[in-house]
Amino acid sequence: MKICVMGLGYIGLPTCAVLAAAGVEVLGVDVQPRIVDTINKGKIHIEEPGLGELVLECVSAGRLRAAKSPEPADAFIIAVPTPSRQDELLSCDLTYVTEAVKAIIPLVQKGNVVIVESTIAPCCMDDEVVPVFEEAGLTPGVDFYLAHCPERVLPGRILHELRYNNRIVGGITPLCAEKAAEVYRTFVEGEIVLTEAKTAELSKCMENTFRDVNIALANELAKICGELGVNCYDVIRISNKHPRVNIHQPGPGVGGHCLAIDPYFVYAKAPETARLIKHARDINRSMPRYVADAVNVLLSGIKSPVISIFGTAYKGNVDDVRESPALEVIRLLAYDFELRIHDPHVNGTGYANFDEAISGSDLVLVLCDHDEFKSLDFDVLKNKMRRPVIFDTRNIVEEKTNSGVNVVNFGNLHSVKTHDLCAL
Ligand code: SAJ
C-alpha cells in the first residue's frame, strides 16, 4: 500500500512515521521546502519524544520520503492546519484543507481512499469538502471513498497515542467509513469506531470543548478562592477525592491549536445555543489579564522592576507556542516591565538562558509546566535575583521551607502582602 500524507506538521509527520514503520510506502507532502529537505535528510523540525529516531529509521529504510507535491497513491490523508477565521464567531477556516483537496483531485483514481484528519467544524465534510470533489466529477462512495477521521493525540505522547488510542472514522457513506478504517487497521491497536462524518466532526470538537469547559471551571474556582481567601489547590485536591469529581487545574489560560480553537467551531455553528461553551472560552481568555493584574500588585512599589518569564510554550515539555497564553501575558506586561524571557524548549529570538533571565530579577513568573521548572535551584535564585520571589501560575514549583525564596501561586495569592515581598 502507498499512502500520501498532506501536511508534515505535528500530526502529519508522526502519522507518516507510524505508517512507514508498519510497512506502508509513505510520501509526506508539505508546501515548505525547508521541511521537505529536513525530512529527506532523516531529520525533524518539531519536538516530539521518539519521533526523530523513528523518522531517521523510516527514511533510511526507504519507506518514507517527502516532496512538495503529491503523487498517485492508494490513500491520501489530509493533515493540514484549520485555523479560526478572523470573523466575529472565530469559525473554522477550511482554506488549507480545500487547497490540499484540489492538489490531490487530479491524482484520485477509482477505489482510492481520501481522509481528512484536520479538526473541522460539524457539517464541513458534507457542506464544503464533498462539493469540491463533486465539482471535479468525483462522487464519494462511488468513484472513491471519503471520510473524516479526526486526530486525537496528545502532544508529547503522539507516537504512543497514534497506535493505542481509539479512532473515530466518519464516512460520507458506510462503505467510505469501512474503507477508511482499513487504512487505520495497518497501525492502530485501539478500537476503530465507525460513524457518519458529521458525528465524527462534532465528537472531536466536543472532546476538546469538554476539557476547555472543565478548565474554565477550575480557573473560575481559582478566582473565587482569591476573593474568599481559600486555597484553591486544597479545594481541588479534596473535591477530587469524590469518586465522580475531577476538577481540572487552573492556570494562566488555555493554549495550543486545539482547546483554544475547537470550541469556537461548535459555537460558530450554533451561537444562540452554545452559551456555556462561549462563556468557558471567555473565562479562559480572561486568565492572562488576571495573571498580569496579580503581577502588577506583587511588584507595586518596586523601582524599575525586572520579571523573568519562565515558559512561553502552551504547555509543559513541548516547543509549541501556538495560542499560548504566555504570549498574551508577555504582551500585557511588556508595557510596564523589563522582561527576560526564558524557555528551554522554545527556540525564540531574544530569549535569555537561565542565568541571564534571573540575574537582578524581582520576580520569576512561571507560565508553563516544563519539567525544568519543577525543581529550581533556590540557592542560585536567592543569590542572583534582586528579590527572590516566584509566582507559579501552574503550581509545579517544589516549595522548600526556610529556603529564603517566596513562592506565590493561585492558592496563596490572596494572603501575600505586597509589602512583605518588597521587604525581601
Ligand atoms: N490546561 C490547563 N489546565 C488543565 C489541563 C490543561 O490549564 O487542567 C491547559 C494546558 O496547559 C494547555 C491547554 O490547556 O495550555 C491544552 O492542553 P491539553 O494538554 O489539555 O491538550 P492539547 O491541546 O495538548 O491536546 C488536546 C487533547 N484533547 C483532549 O485531551 C481532550 C488531544 O487528545 C487532542 O488530540 C488535541 O487536543 C487536538 O489536536 O485536538
Side-chain angles (χ1 to χ4, degrees):
M1 179 157 42
K2 179 173 173 183
I3 297 186
C4 188
V5 177
M6 306 292 288
L8 292 174
Y10 285 92
I11 300 303
L13 182 58
T15 303
C16 286
V18 290
L19 278 165
V24 174
E25 183 192 343
V26 182
L27 178 74
V29 178
D30 204 286
V31 289
Q32 291 191 49
R34 184 183 57 86
I35 294 179
V36 170
D37 289 348
T38 306
I39 307 308
N40 283 332
K41 283 184 195 138
K43 297 192 172 146
I44 61 170
H45 59 292
I46 50 176
E47 184 179 329
E48 181 60 35
L51 185 62
E53 295 85 329
L54 194 60
V55 166
L56 177 60
E57 190 187 308
C58 296
V59 172
S60 311
R63 287 196 300 272
L64 171 60
R65 276 183 307 124
K68 271 171 62 187
S69 11
E71 290 173 8
D74 300 296
F76 298 87
I77 295 178
I78 297 175
V80 294
T82 41
S84 290
R85 274 199 199 101
Q86 291 312 305
D87 58 14
E88 206 182 304
L89 299 173
L90 298 173
S91 61
C92 176
D93 182 349
L94 281 182
T95 310
Y96 300 119
V97 173
T98 314
E99 277 170 14
V101 165
K102 287 182 178 157
I104 61 167
I105 275 180
L107 305 172
V108 173
Q109 290 163 13
K110 192 144 183 96
N112 281 177
V113 178
V114 178
I115 296 164
V116 177
E117 279 208 11
S118 313
T119 302
I120 52 181
C123 306
C124 281
M125 289 297 284
D126 290 340
D127 297 348
E128 297 182 58
V129 177
V130 170
V132 182
F133 283 103
E134 282 177 339
E135 273 164 34
L138 292 168
T139 306
V142 177
D143 302 309
F144 75 110
Y145 304 105
L146 179 61
H148 173 55
C149 310
E151 61 79 12
R152 303 157 92 194
V153 288
L154 197 69
R157 285 175 51 83
I158 293 182
L159 292 180
H160 175 88
E161 295 209 347
L162 273 177
R163 291 192 181 107
Y164 296 101
N165 281 7
N166 303 328
R167 199 84 212 202
I168 321 170
V169 178
I172 298 300
T173 66
L175 188 57
C176 288
E178 185 43 51
K179 293 286 181 185
E182 278 172 21
V183 172
Y184 290 100
R185 287 196 189 107
T186 57
F187 68 92
V188 171
E189 305 269 337
E191 187 189 348
I192 298 180
V193 185
L194 273 54
T195 184
E196 55 181 357
K198 62 183 171 196
T199 307
E201 291 164 328
L202 188 52
S203 303
K204 163 65 201 249
C205 289
M206 285 312 292
E207 292 165 8
N208 284 339
T209 301
F210 169 88
R211 207 159 157 77
D212 194 53
V213 169
N214 277 285
I215 297 167
L217 186 65
N219 283 332
E220 190 162 274
L221 172 68
K223 290 180 178 178
I224 293 168
C225 285
E227 266 176 54
L228 303 184
V230 181
N231 185 323
C232 62
Y233 299 114
D234 288 341
V235 174
I236 294 170
R237 184 175 47 82
I238 292 164
S239 300
N240 286 353
K241 289 197 182 292
H242 186 289
R244 286 178 294 284
V245 175
N246 177 21
I247 302 181
H248 288 40
Q249 292 302 311
V254 168
H257 192 63
C258 314
L259 269 65
I261 294 190
D262 300 354
Y264 288 119
F265 291 178
V266 181
Y267 169 67
K269 291 281 176 182
E272 296 297 322
T273 316
R275 301 214 311 252
L276 176 62
I277 294 173
K278 174 65 164 52
H279 195 59
R281 281 276 72 237
D282 291 344
I283 292 170
N284 289 336
R285 282 177 70 171
S286 75
M287 294 311 287
R289 165 66 64 193
Y290 186 71
V291 169
D293 287 350
V295 167
N296 268 289
V297 173
L298 291 174
L299 292 178
S300 65
I302 293 176
K303 270 204 198 116
S304 317
V306 175
I307 304 175
S308 326
I309 301 282
F310 271 30
T312 54
Y314 82 93
K315 70 172 187 179
N317 307 321
V318 300
D319 63 352
D320 192 344
V321 298
R322 287 178 298 174
E323 312 295 323
S324 176
L327 302 182
E328 178 63 6
V329 175
I330 289 170
R331 197 185 66 77
L332 292 167
L333 293 176
Y335 297 107
D336 302 314
F337 301 96
E338 180 186 335
L339 305 181
R340 310 249 183 84
I341 301 171
H342 170 64
D343 191 316
H345 292 260
V346 177
N347 221 344
T349 35
Y351 279 30
N353 65 28
F354 177 79
D355 276 352
E356 291 161 356
I358 61 165
S359 297
S361 159
D362 298 288
L363 181 76
V364 165
L365 175 59
V366 177
L367 295 174
C368 175
D369 44 348
H370 290 320
D371 285 346
E372 289 87 342
F373 303 155
K374 289 181 182 163
S375 45
L376 293 170
D377 188 332
F378 280 20
D379 287 334
V380 175
L381 291 178
K382 219 173 85 182
N383 289 334
K384 297 213 162 168
M385 291 177 74
R386 190 156 56 185
R387 284 178 189 77
V389 183
I390 302 173
F391 179 14
D392 174 14
T393 66
R394 298 283 189 168
N395 193 28
I396 52 152
V397 176
E398 233 173 77
E399 286 183 55
K400 293 167 196 138
T401 36
N402 302 325
S403 64
V405 177
N406 206 331
V407 181
V408 182
N409 55 33
F410 288 141
N412 63 10
L413 193 57
H414 56 273
S415 61
V416 176
K417 305 272 181 305
T418 313
H419 55 83
D420 292 348
L421 297 178
C422 298
L424 278 168

